[in-house]
Amino acid sequence: MLARLTRGVPALCRALHSAPNTAAAALDLIRSQPSHYVVANFVGRKYILTPRDLLTVPRLRDVKVGDVLTLDEIHELGSREYTLRGNPTISPDRVRVQATVVEHTKGKMESIFKKKRRKGYQKTITHKQPYTRLRIGEIELPIS
């Protein structure tokens, strides 16, 4: 009897969660969910971002603290139950994500040791890598 009950459950779930036919219908389903995420390309790398995330990227020289940047290369938008993938990106009029520059900082001290054997040559180079930290804003899904 238990096998008979569990056999019908996946068919029932498939009937409840049918795939939307259009991108607008998919956006409506994602909009109805409580939390969202995006996969965005920023400075040549892809990041999974949610609202209020703190993102550390290599130093951006042409921005100041407090500047607001718009992420325009968004590859995927999703919620807990639904996902919308771009081909290759989702157009900026469907989803809008902004990031605020929080600070310019440096990483931990890194040391590089160079040596040539049997020559007496030893050299230690230390440096700190510069980074920029960004606070991700709300993921806006404008109604079109």
Side-chain angles (χ1 to χ4, degrees):
M1 174 137 178
L2 183 62
R4 223 180 284 147
L5 288 175
T6 57
R7 220 178 319 163
V9 171
L12 179 64
C13 290
R14 268 187 251 124
L16 290 175
H17 298 289
S18 61
N21 295 332
T22 63
L27 280 171
D28 287 338
L29 287 173
I30 292 172
R31 206 176 280 121
S32 68
Q33 299 290 311
S35 61
H36 305 111
Y37 74 91
V38 293
V39 175
N41 193 7
F42 193 73
V43 194
R45 294 186 64 183
K46 288 185 180 179
Y47 297 97
I48 299 175
L49 303 171
T50 59
R52 297 173 298 283
D53 273 354
L54 194 61
L55 178 64
T56 303
V57 295
R59 173 70 185 245
L60 302 174
R61 297 189 187 281
D62 53 347
V63 297
K64 296 181 179 75
V65 175
D67 286 354
V68 178
L69 308 174
T70 301
L71 306 179
D72 54 354
E73 285 189 52
I74 295 175
H75 296 280
E76 185 175 314
L77 166 68
S79 63
R80 183 175 289 241
E81 295 182 12
Y82 302 102
T83 301
L84 178 66
R85 289 194 178 134
N87 188 14
T89 59
I90 300 172
S91 66
D93 58 335
R94 291 191 183 268
V95 60
R96 192 175 314 126
V97 181
Q98 293 184 337
T100 306
V101 178
V102 176
E103 67 176 341
H104 295 291
T105 185
K106 292 184 178 181
K108 63 183 178 78
M109 182 71 79
E110 296 179 9
S111 60
I112 302 164
F113 181 70
K114 296 183 175 184
K115 178 181 177 178
K116 305 246 184 215
R117 59 185 196 161
R118 295 187 296 273
K119 306 296 181 204
Y121 172 79
Q122 292 184 350
K123 184 161 121 179
T124 302
I125 302 170
T126 58
H127 76 284
K128 291 183 177 183
Q129 193 74 26
Y131 293 107
T132 299
R133 301 189 96 179
L134 306 168
R135 176 73 64 184
I136 304 300
E138 293 298 319
I139 298 173
E140 298 174 15
L141 304 171
I143 299 173
S144 50

